[in-house]
Amino acid sequence: MRAFRMLNWQEPPALEEIDLPEPGPGEIRIKVAGNGLCQSDLHMPQLPAAMEELMGWTMPFTLGHEVGGWIDKVGRELTGDKRRYEEGQPVAIVSTRSCGACLECDAGFDNTCDSNRRGRGYGMNGGIADYLILESSRPIIPLSGLDPKIAGPYTDAGATSYHAVAQVRDKLGSGRTVLVIGAGGLGGFAIQFLKILTQARILVTDLDAKKRRRAKELGADASLDGAMADLAGEITKLTEGRGVDAVLDFVGSDVTIATSVACLAKLARYVLVGAGEGRLEMPLFGALASKSISVTSFIGGTIADTRAVLALADRGLLRNDVELFDIADAQKAFEKLARGELLGRAVIVP
Ligand SMILES: [Zn+2]
Ligand SMILES: [Zn+2]
């Protein structure tokens, strides 16, 4: 089968022919319909070989952690799962990996499970391939009406931004304001969830005029140029000097962190999602305490988040802009993502 893979540390990925994997005891083979690309996929070739020891990653591995597909073959001894799996059944695969047995999984925070240090598409075989082996049925979510080819982005871009919105829902009653920083794949979903789940006014910033226009189409009340001088001042003005009740920062750069902290209202919550490696060059207590601000951060969505997103999508409530690429053109899709030219998500179709 074909698979788009990391072959060595510090080298770009490549399309390879590899053997069709057989599902072992307890495993399930998925025929991939489509796999969404994520910003994090772009960073894989820069990662150090120390990931082997630090996170348990093994090289080589197939990229891709946003998978939609069909059940293809069920291995023997599928235990602990009363659901039935039939060949050809359309499914989406939860993008984070979890054990189901630790305290975090037990509390429903399975995106915080230690098992997720290594997952499908990051350190073990993922979904940019003809087939994918699941080590258990745990991440499988059956689809009723959705096309599995475009379901992948709901499992990561969708579920991660849903998780972010869930962290601030209690702050966003009527008369409140939320700021979404970055209106790409994740931010675009967040705007839609905020519109469906909260009554807050939605402000959006992005550097790209096309993404700002799309943000308005998706439900943003105002969209501002992220490069504007005194962006925080402008946002404060738009909220009559009060500031915003929540920020969802899908960028996480020095600039977006400083802007967020400067325009948060009293009792606001700042959610850091973007891995932009930004720093805050000021005393943390001084920045947060007098306004009783809370800060939260996480990686990826939970199984429950993924189910919630797929349920909204199934009801036709979500716009999921995708650009399809044949697996032979996976490299082109990566280049387009790297140049910031995609308006929605790139989906690689085997
Ligand atoms: Zn991702
Ligand atoms: Zn766990």
Side-chain angles (χ1 to χ4, degrees):
M1 68 166 191
R2 298 163 303 171
F4 192 67
R5 322 190 78 201
M6 288 293 300
L7 301 173
N8 274 306
W9 297 104
Q10 311 274 307
E11 278 178 26
L15 191 64
E16 266 211 323
E17 267 308 315
I18 59 172
D19 290 341
L20 177 69
E22 278 301 312
E27 296 183 337
I28 294 187
R29 188 168 71 201
I30 301 295
K31 180 170 168 50
V32 177
N35 184 106
L37 285 195
C38 175
Q39 208 73 34
S40 68
D41 293 318
L42 290 179
H43 302 308
M44 297 291 178
Q46 278 104 56
L47 295 176
M51 293 298 283
E52 276 177 11
E53 211 172 307
L54 285 172
M55 308 291 260
W57 291 23
T58 43
M59 196 62 84
F61 64 89
T62 304
L63 289 171
H65 57 270
E66 289 195 347
V67 188
W70 301 274
I71 301 285
D72 184 61
K73 189 175 180 187
V74 181
R76 285 176 301 112
E77 299 159 40
L78 193 63
T79 52
D81 188 341
K82 297 280 189 289
R83 298 181 295 180
R84 285 193 182 284
Y85 297 98
E86 281 164 22
E87 196 183 315
Q89 186 182 350
V91 295
I93 310 302
V94 175
S95 71
T96 46
R97 182 164 172 261
S98 60
C99 73
C102 69
L103 283 176
E104 291 75 28
C105 281
D106 205 35
F109 296 100
D110 41 85
N111 57 343
T112 313
C113 179
D114 277 344
S115 306
N116 197 33
R117 294 161 67 85
R118 166 176 176 265
R120 293 171 289 279
Y122 44 102
M124 54 194 282
N125 288 332
I128 308 182
D130 290 307
Y131 295 89
L132 165 72
I133 294 283
L134 300 179
E135 64 211 316
S136 80
S137 59
R138 180 170 166 79
I140 293 177
I141 301 184
L143 299 175
S144 41
L146 288 174
D147 180 356
K149 191 192 285 183
I150 56 153
Y154 294 124
T155 66
D156 178 34
T160 302
S161 51
Y162 190 91
H163 197 81
V165 170
Q167 310 307 306
V168 296
R169 270 178 89 171
D170 61 329
K171 302 281 182 191
L172 299 177
S174 70
R176 304 290 175 157
T177 307
V178 58
L179 172 65
V180 176
I181 299 180
L186 276 77
F189 275 120
I191 294 164
Q192 300 183 71
F193 299 140
L194 288 163
K195 198 79 188 164
I196 295 167
L197 302 171
T198 79
Q199 296 173 289
R201 183 158 62 125
I202 304 166
L203 309 181
V204 175
T205 73
D206 199 288
L207 295 172
D208 182 339
K210 280 197 290 258
K211 287 181 182 153
R212 292 200 296 274
R213 267 199 301 281
R214 179 169 168 267
K216 293 288 281 284
E217 288 169 22
L218 295 174
D221 295 289
S223 65
L224 301 139
D225 185 350
M228 170 194 293
D230 194 22
L231 181 59
E234 190 60 35
I235 291 162
T236 308
K237 221 185 291 168
L238 281 172
T239 54
E240 287 82 42
R242 220 178 59 81
V244 296
D245 300 285
V247 175
L248 306 183
D249 185 351
F250 292 105
V251 178
S253 67
D254 287 351
V255 172
T256 64
I257 291 172
T259 302
S260 302
V261 168
C263 67
L264 285 165
K266 285 181 183 172
L267 297 168
R269 185 164 296 142
Y270 171 58
V271 184
L272 177 64
V273 188
E277 299 188 353
R279 285 153 201 269
L280 179 67
E281 296 297 340
M282 66 187 292
L284 202 54
F285 186 86
L288 308 179
S290 67
K291 292 200 271 185
S292 297
I293 282 163
S294 56
V295 176
T296 182
S297 194
F298 63 89
I299 296 176
T302 64
I303 295 173
D305 294 323
T306 315
R307 284 186 186 285
V309 173
L310 289 166
L312 291 174
D314 203 34
R315 287 165 58 202
L317 296 176
L318 299 180
R319 190 172 127 188
N320 175 25
D321 294 333
V322 299
E323 201 172 321
L324 301 178
F325 293 84
D326 188 271
I327 192 168
D329 296 326
Q331 198 67 55
K332 279 185 201 152
F334 271 77
E335 285 161 14
K336 217 168 166 186
L337 174 63
R339 289 195 301 265
E341 287 172 8
L342 296 160
L343 270 184
R345 217 63 169 163
V347 171
I348 309 287
V349 179

